[in-house]
Amino acid sequence: MSHPVAALGTALVTAAGCVWYLPAVADLRAGADRPDSRRTAAVACVTGWGSAGVLAVLLLVAETWWTPGAAAVTTAACTGAVRLRSAAQRRREAREAVRLWAQLRHARPRACVGPSRSVVAASVCAVAAVVGLLLVLGHGLSGRS
């Protein structure tokens, strides 16, 4: 496979990855409103996808395969290390939350009073079924005339 074809494929996959890296950028912009573990995971996400974009450029300018390959392996290792740090932070935050709830002598916060998810989902499905039935009957009647 030629370098331009690989670069095009990498660029297209990187563009499609916006469903992951755009929310990560939003988490980074939120700053202290997000937990440390979530911001660190966002750094890992942006680093990984950013390195894929850099890899696409390297595939265009490099004459050999080892330069983009070495860059890909290096950035993958860095991204993995940051993601592992995020997981460790998340575990630490979870332990801290359990400790704080234990101090309050509550196992969990009380649930909100209101309809359960299944009642709401069943209501939405029932309304959708009635609307669909009315549309089918209305279309069937207008087709006979």
Side-chain angles (χ1 to χ4, degrees), residues 20-31 33-34 38-39 42 46:
W20 288 287
Y21 61 76
L22 288 180
V25 169
D27 283 343
L28 290 174
R29 288 188 55 123
D33 289 344
R34 302 288 193 271
R38 189 163 170 177
R39 285 183 289 164
V46 170

Side-chain angles (χ1 to χ4, degrees):
M1 178 182 309
S2 67
H3 284 268
V5 173
L8 178 63
T10 304
L12 290 175
V13 168
T14 302
C18 69
V19 297
W20 288 287
Y21 61 76
L22 288 180
V25 169
D27 283 343
L28 290 174
R29 288 188 55 123
D33 289 344
R34 302 288 193 271
D36 289 338
S37 63
R38 189 163 170 177
R39 285 183 289 164
T40 306
V43 167
C45 180
V46 170
T47 301
W49 284 105
S51 65
V54 170
L55 182 62
V57 173
L58 281 176
L59 284 167
L60 283 176
V61 298
E63 295 180 13
T64 61
W65 285 100
W66 71 267
T67 304
V73 168
T74 303
T75 56
C78 291
T79 301
V82 174
R83 185 63 182 106
L84 287 173
R85 180 173 182 211
S86 169
Q89 285 176 327
R90 177 68 186 125
R91 284 191 300 273
R92 204 172 19 244
E93 290 168 356
R95 283 193 304 266
E96 178 70 12
V98 167
R99 186 184 66 77
L100 290 174
W101 278 110
Q103 286 179 351
L104 293 172
R105 294 188 181 149
H106 294 291
R108 297 225 185 265
R110 300 191 109 195
C112 296
V113 177
S116 68
R117 289 183 188 176
S118 57
V119 171
V120 173
S123 301
V124 169
C125 289
V127 169
V130 168
V131 169
L133 183 63
L134 290 175
L135 288 174
V136 168
L137 290 176
H139 180 66
L141 294 177
S142 65
R144 292 182 186 164
S145 301

